[in-house]
Amino acid sequence: MSEEHRTAGPPHGNETEAVTGRPLTVGDVLGLPVLAAGQPRVVTGEAGLDRPVQWVHITELTDPASFLKGGELVLTTGMPLPEQPAQVRRYVDELADIGAAALVIELVRRYHRPPEALVQACRSRGLPLVTLSKDVNFLEVTQVVHALIVGNQMHAMRRTQQIHEAFTALTLRGAAPDEVVRAAAETSGHTVVLENLVHHAVICEPSGRTVEEALTGWERRSRATPPCDHTEVLGPEHWLVAPVEYRGEPWGRVIMLPAPARTPSFGPEDVAVLERTAMTLTIARLIHATTWERSAHRSALRDIAEQRHRSPDEARARAAALGLPTEECRFLAVLIDTRTHPGGEELETRLTEDLRTVTVPALVGELAPGRVGVLLSLRPSGSWRPTVEQLGRTALGLDPGAVVSVGSEVTDLSRAARSFREATRVAEAALPHSSDKPFHELSDIGLRHLLYALRQDPRVQGFAERQLAQLIDHDSRHGTSLLTTLRHYLDAAGNKTTAARRGELSRQTLYQRLHTIERLLDLDLESGERRTELHVALIALDVSRLG
């Protein structure tokens, strides 16, 4: 429908409810029954129907702009309009310059169609021009609209007080930063992001869009949005931005993203929410000992390791927003189990410093008490071993009983969870002090390591008990060492000469002991399968005694 034939219709639902909680616009006023009765038509300036209406002004003066402050809906019967086109243009220019919201002219007394000079002047200045084809009581219009405006002002005051109370409560109970950002998103209905000074998105609470949509290309987009020292709309994407400080110095900023298809993007309530969010975050930064970046790394690592993202693209967007390269990279999971040094904060800090020194991008964070995870982002070429060796030396320097394990390399972030699972299996199978290397990998895991990982399994325990219980009981009752003799024999792969030498026994004594073992266990030691079963049982018994 062209703007010359655009008819304003009534709003949906109750006229008061239709505009409560947001600024009253020209379109809202035209849809009110009291004005809709005049059959309003938008002649030109339809794009300005979303302009806020601050007041309604009835005028029959030739210079009404001298009595306006801006934002007024101007009502006139057209009686005072000048005849000359130049005077008409000056009349419209004065209204546009002062910032009038719209001009509404009644086509009942003087005009039955709007003068062409008036239409052209309004079109050139972008001032909405609305005609009424039927008589309207302008006084009733002002009463209804002013009541709505005052009501909205009271509503805004109540909402501002509610926002103040809500964020004060968050401050008093020492809410974590993610709680504060989540409250901002829920209150405003906008996606809210907290970033630091290097443009890493530390926390993202989506609303009306996905994390992927909010964070894709985050650093590039954020750098295009200039810094600020107060809450304002900035940048090519028109973000609402507020600074966040730490001990009087800039720390970062909290950003509210415009909601899709919402005009205007932000209102006074959104500004109030973001300002209180920034203030609450500034106080929260003083309360919480763990840095927000550390918390963000922990959260991101746990989600990657446990595959808790909604999609691979979301995982990549979130990791990239934290500064981790995700394109044309290899990824490797590293786990550090601190078995005698449960505190993870110091280890996280030291590992981060190591990685910064060797310039290897990574996420570092505690995955569980006593377990710190590292996700390395590696260049397509080059070895990861020097980096992991350095991390292992650092971990063992803090805790000599630490176990450092790695998974296998993967070429896509969505497969990093597999690398973490493999590193976990390696950690479970790693024998204490069983390697000269500062870390363990999948290729290190042999039978002894496998049985060590399964040492708590009742089936493994039962197998070892069935195979060896008779010998253990015999040695206990008679003070013999048949179990040791069997160990030497099996370690020698059935070579009796070697077994006798290792046990410092004569061949005759060895033969007698082996015969006793066969009798007690009711088996033939010449059977390769039975020797394998006994050897596995002995290893299972050994690793179960390691704890």
Side-chain angles (χ1 to χ4, degrees):
M1 180 181 293
S2 66
E3 60 184 5
E4 278 77 13
H5 297 282
R6 201 273 192 188
T7 302
H12 298 290
N14 180 277
E15 63 187 58
T16 303
E17 293 177 352
V19 294
T20 298
R22 61 176 175 81
L24 193 69
T25 67
V26 174
D28 293 329
V29 174
L30 297 183
L32 295 174
V34 67
L35 198 55
Q39 298 180 353
R41 284 184 180 275
V42 180
V43 179
T44 188
E46 186 174 355
L49 294 184
D50 61 350
R51 291 182 178 182
V53 175
Q54 304 294 338
W55 209 245
V56 174
H57 183 74
I58 304 172
T59 182
E60 299 299 339
L61 301 175
T62 57
D63 60 341
S66 59
F67 295 91
L68 305 180
K69 294 183 178 180
E72 292 88 356
L73 184 77
V74 178
L75 302 178
T76 181
T77 62
M79 297 299 292
L81 284 178
E83 294 285 350
Q84 299 300 319
Q87 294 175 327
V88 172
R89 285 196 299 271
R90 184 171 62 250
Y91 179 91
V92 171
D93 284 341
E94 290 178 355
L95 291 178
D97 290 341
I98 202 65
L103 174 63
V104 179
I105 179 172
E106 188 181 71
L107 303 180
V108 175
R109 292 169 177 80
R110 179 178 178 184
Y111 297 107
H112 295 287
R113 58 179 301 171
E116 187 61 26
L118 180 65
V119 173
Q120 293 300 328
C122 288
R123 178 178 291 117
S124 66
R125 293 303 304 269
L127 179 69
L129 174 63
V130 181
T131 62
L132 301 174
S133 59
K134 291 188 176 182
D135 192 18
V136 169
N137 188 323
F138 284 174
L139 182 58
E140 289 183 4
V141 174
T142 61
Q143 289 175 335
V144 171
V145 174
H146 292 171
L148 286 173
I149 292 173
V150 172
N152 273 349
Q153 291 172 346
M154 294 298 296
H155 175 80
M157 292 175 61
R158 287 194 296 270
R159 284 292 296 151
T160 300
Q161 181 63 26
Q162 291 169 354
I163 292 166
H164 172 80
E165 292 173 353
F167 283 90
T168 298
L170 289 172
T171 299
L172 293 177
R173 68 179 178 83
D178 56 329
E179 293 182 77
V180 178
V181 176
R182 187 179 307 116
E186 291 174 350
T187 303
S188 66
H190 290 271
T191 294
V192 180
V193 179
L194 173 66
E195 69 166 15
N196 59 16
L197 289 177
V198 293
H199 304 277
H200 290 171
V202 176
I203 300 173
C204 173
E205 282 295 334
S207 179
R209 64 175 72 201
T210 64
V211 172
E212 176 192 349
E213 292 171 333
L215 295 185
T216 296
W218 178 262
E219 183 174 343
R220 170 185 52 79
R221 295 159 58 204
S222 176
R223 290 186 182 278
T225 303
C228 64
D229 54 12
H230 62 278
T231 305
E232 58 180 317
V233 176
L234 294 171
E237 296 185 42
H238 306 290
W239 290 352
L240 183 62
V241 181
V244 177
E245 296 183 349
Y246 177 54
R247 294 180 176 174
E249 297 293 331
W251 178 90
R253 55 188 181 177
V254 61
I255 298 165
M256 187 176 288
L257 304 185
R262 181 188 292 185
T263 304
S265 296
F266 303 107
E269 184 178 312
D270 298 317
V271 174
V273 168
L274 202 66
E275 288 178 342
R276 286 312 310 264
T277 300
M279 184 184 304
T280 305
L281 287 170
T282 296
I283 297 172
R285 186 67 188 84
L286 297 171
I287 295 174
H288 295 277
T290 303
T291 64
W292 293 346
E293 292 89 346
R294 180 75 59 230
S295 297
H297 277 221
R298 289 176 180 176
S299 177
L301 269 177
R302 290 168 184 168
D303 288 348
I304 291 172
E306 299 173 16
Q307 290 184 302
R308 295 191 300 199
H309 292 96
R310 295 181 179 178
S311 68
D313 288 338
E314 178 181 307
R316 281 189 286 269
R318 185 177 177 193
L322 285 172
L324 187 77
T326 59
E327 301 296 332
E328 299 181 355
C329 300
R330 297 173 296 135
F331 301 94
L332 184 75
V334 183
L335 295 179
I336 299 97
D337 283 353
T338 54
R339 296 180 176 178
T340 62
H341 188 276
E345 192 82 30
E346 182 181 1
L347 179 58
E348 287 175 303
T349 301
R350 291 284 298 276
L351 295 176
T352 302
E353 291 172 353
D354 283 349
L355 292 164
R356 189 178 296 116
T357 300
V358 298
T359 63
V360 174
L363 296 178
V364 181
E366 189 176 53
L367 297 176
R371 170 168 287 183
V372 173
V374 180
L375 180 63
L376 301 176
S377 177
L378 305 162
R379 290 186 291 271
S381 60
S383 173
W384 51 263
R385 293 182 180 277
T387 300
V388 177
E389 286 174 354
Q390 176 60 47
L391 298 179
R393 286 191 294 269
T394 297
L396 291 170
L398 288 174
D399 178 7
V403 173
V404 181
S405 59
V406 300
S408 58
E409 291 183 66
V410 295
T411 56
D412 192 278
L413 187 64
S414 63
R415 298 188 179 95
R418 187 187 74 191
S419 186
F420 274 109
R421 288 194 297 270
E422 292 171 347
T424 300
R425 289 199 293 270
V426 173
E428 292 170 347
L431 290 163
H433 314 295
S434 64
S435 175
D436 294 332
K437 296 189 304 183
F439 65 90
H440 302 266
E441 55 185 313
L442 281 170
S443 60
D444 296 330
I445 304 306
L447 176 61
R448 186 174 297 273
H449 299 84
L450 177 62
L451 291 172
Y452 179 73
L454 299 174
R455 65 192 181 277
Q456 302 294 342
D457 192 315
R459 293 168 294 182
V460 175
Q461 296 173 352
F463 174 77
E465 186 69 15
R466 289 193 303 274
Q467 296 291 325
L468 303 173
Q470 293 291 343
L471 288 187
I472 296 171
D473 291 344
H474 186 276
D475 284 346
S476 179
R477 289 196 307 270
H478 299 93
T480 56
S481 54
L482 294 178
L483 193 66
T484 301
T485 300
L486 178 62
R487 186 188 306 280
H488 291 318
Y489 175 72
L490 295 174
D491 286 343
N495 188 309
K496 295 175 183 177
T497 301
T498 302
R501 185 175 65 251
R502 289 179 176 177
E504 299 179 348
L505 302 172
S506 67
R507 288 176 62 86
Q508 188 64 32
T509 302
L510 176 68
Y511 292 156
Q512 290 174 352
R513 291 189 178 185
L514 292 179
H515 179 70
T516 303
I517 291 171
E518 287 179 324
R519 179 176 56 81
L520 289 171
L521 299 182
D522 191 23
L523 54 74
D524 179 7
L525 288 176
E526 294 300 318
S527 168
E529 183 176 347
R530 297 312 303 273
R531 284 205 305 267
T532 300
E533 291 173 349
L534 290 172
H535 207 174
V536 171
L538 271 174
I539 297 174
L541 179 65
D542 290 343
V543 298
S544 69
R545 291 172 174 174
L546 293 175

